[in-house]
Amino acid sequence: MTQYNIAVLGATGAVGQELLSILVERQFPYAELRLLASPRSAGRRVAVGGRDYLVEAVSAEAFQGIDFAFFCAGGSVSQCWAEEAVRAGAIVIDNTSAFRLAPDVPLVVPEVNGEAALAHRGIIANPNCSTIIMVMALKPILDEAGIKRVVVSTYQAVSGAGFAAMEELRRQAEDYVMGRELEAKVLPVASGQRHYPIAFNLIPQIDVFAEDGYTKEEWKMVRETQKILGITDLPITATTVRVPTMRSHCEAVNVETERPMSPERCREILAQFPGVKVLDSPEEQAYPMPQFTSGLDEVYVGRIRKDPTVPYGLNLWIVGDQIRKGAALNAVQIAEYVTRQMG
Ligand SMILES: NC(=O)c1ccc[n+]([C@@H]2O[C@H](COP(=O)([O-])OP(=O)(O)OC[C@H]3O[C@@H](n4cnc5c(N)ncnc54)[C@H](OP(=O)(O)O)[C@@H]3O)[C@@H](O)[C@H]2O)c1
C-alpha cells in the first residue's frame, strides 16, 4: 500500500490534535509525520499512535517531501504558508477560511461533492464547521425535493473557537460556582475590543461583523453552502450564536422545498445518506444533543417536522461534533478520497 508523508500545521491546537488521532484511528497510510506549530510550541513532544514526535516551528523546509499538508493554524498562517507547501509538492488541505471562496480552490465535503476535490491545483479547502454539518442534511433533501430557501440558527460550542475558549468556559464555570467575578478574554473574538463571559450566557456573535450587520460566520454559512451545493443564488439566511457547551454544534434549520416531502420520507432519505444518523422519536423523547454526540463521527438529525406556514417546508434539528466531522474528520476524508483516486 502506498504510504504518504504528512505534515500537520497547528498540530498542538484543538483541530490539529483531533486530526492526529483520526489519522491513527482510521489507519491513514502515513510514513513520515511532521508536527508543525508556532515557535511557542517548538520543542514540545506529542504522542501520536504510541510514538513520540517533536513539534517543529513551521518553515519552508518543513514541507519538503510532504504529500499532504493539513493546515489548522488560522487563516493568516494559511495565507502565509500554503503556496510554499504547494511549491514543495504537497497537497494542502486547509481548515481555515483563507481560500474557501477562491474560484480555483475546491470546497469539499466528500459525501456531498467529493469529486470536486479532484480539480484541485494544490489547495483543497475544508468548509466552515457549521456549514459542513448543515450541508450533510441538506444534500439528500436537495436531491429529492429541491430547495427554495433555508433559514438557520446555530448553537455553537466553545471548542469552535479553539483550546483557549474551552479553557475560558471551564474557568468561568468554576468561578461562577465559587461566587467569583467572571473574567473574559477570548470570546466572542480573541482579538476584539470587548469580551463577554460565556458561562451561563449566550453570545450572538461568532467572528467579526461585516458592514451589513451580519457576522462573517453567518456569511460563511451562506456563501460556502451555495458553493458546495453548486447553487450560487440559493436563498439562505443565518444567525450564529455561541453557547456554553464544550463540543458539538447544534443547528435549528428551516428548509422550504420546491416539491412536497413528508417528515417520514425525510427521515428515510437522511437515514440512508452516508455519515448521517436520524434520532427522532418524540414519543421516547429521543433527539440529538451535544453531550451525546461529542466524539462521534456522524451528523445527527432529529425533531423533523412539517412547517405548515409554507406550501412545502420542514424544520430540522441538526447536531454534529464540529471538531470531528466539522473539521478534522472531513479533512482526513478529503485526503482519503484523493488517495483513492490516485490509486
Ligand atoms: N475548533 C473548531 O471546531 C474548528 C472547526 C473548523 C475549523 N477550525 C479552524 O481551524 C483553525 C485552528 O482552530 P483551532 O480551534 O484548532 O485553534 P487552536 O486550538 O487555537 O489551535 C491553533 C493552532 O495553530 C497554531 N498556530 C497559531 N499561530 C501560529 C503561527 N503563527 N504559526 C504556526 N502555528 C500557529 C497553534 O500553535 P501554538 O501551540 O504554537 O500556539 C495551534 O497549534 C482555525 O482557522 C479555525 O477557524 C476550527
Side-chain angles (χ1 to χ4, degrees), residues 10-18 44 158-170 186 246-247 323:
T12 53
V15 175
Q17 288 283 293
E18 196 74 26
R44 249 179 75 181
V158 291
S159 54
F163 275 149
M166 295 169 84
E167 187 44 39
E168 184 155 283
L169 172 56
R170 210 171 277 127
V186 178
M246 272 299 168
R247 212 173 149 139
I323 310 184

Side-chain angles (χ1 to χ4, degrees), residues 176-326:
Y176 186 93
V177 171
M178 299 305 287
R180 293 191 289 255
E181 202 176 316
L182 305 189
E183 200 188 0
K185 290 188 192 154
V186 178
L187 294 170
V189 177
S191 59
Q193 299 280 319
R194 306 187 73 154
H195 297 107
Y196 300 109
I198 185 64
F200 305 95
N201 197 16
L202 302 177
I203 305 178
Q205 180 191 352
I206 297 183
D207 209 333
V208 296
F209 280 98
E211 276 170 16
D212 57 7
Y214 284 83
T215 63
K216 267 184 146 180
E217 183 83 353
E218 288 160 352
W219 277 118
K220 284 177 203 167
M221 289 195 77
V222 174
R223 300 276 181 251
E224 294 181 21
T225 301
Q226 292 169 333
K227 179 169 174 176
I228 297 163
L229 296 179
I231 312 173
T232 48
D233 59 352
L234 184 67
I236 306 173
T237 184
T239 303
T240 58
V241 180
R242 187 75 68 194
V243 302
T245 52
M246 272 299 168
R247 212 173 149 139
S248 257
H249 288 354
C250 307
E251 301 176 0
V253 180
N254 177 268
V255 191
E256 191 177 351
T257 54
E258 302 274 0
R259 298 177 290 281
M261 178 186 276
S262 67
E264 295 71 31
R265 179 65 186 150
C266 185
R267 279 182 206 108
E268 223 170 80
I269 59 163
L270 284 170
Q272 286 162 8
F273 196 72
V276 173
K277 280 204 167 149
V278 173
L279 180 61
D280 190 17
S281 179
E283 58 285 1
E284 292 166 295
Q285 290 178 274
Y287 33 71
M289 287 180 274
Q291 270 206 10
F292 307 110
T293 56
S294 292
L296 302 182
D297 286 348
E298 290 82 9
V299 170
Y300 284 76
V301 189
R303 303 292 326 277
I304 301 168
R305 61 216 190 273
K306 194 172 155 53
D307 172 2
T309 67
V310 289
Y312 310 126
L314 292 164
N315 282 306
L316 318 171
W317 174 248
I318 308 174
V319 184
D321 185 322
Q322 92 293 341
I323 310 184
R324 287 184 79 88
K325 183 57 188 168

Side-chain angles (χ1 to χ4, degrees), residues 13-37:
V15 175
Q17 288 283 293
E18 196 74 26
L19 204 138
L20 291 168
S21 47
I22 290 175
L23 287 172
V24 174
E25 259 172 51
R26 294 174 73 90
Q27 301 184 320
F28 190 90
Y30 64 83
E32 200 179 325
L33 185 59
R34 283 189 209 148
L35 273 50
L36 309 174

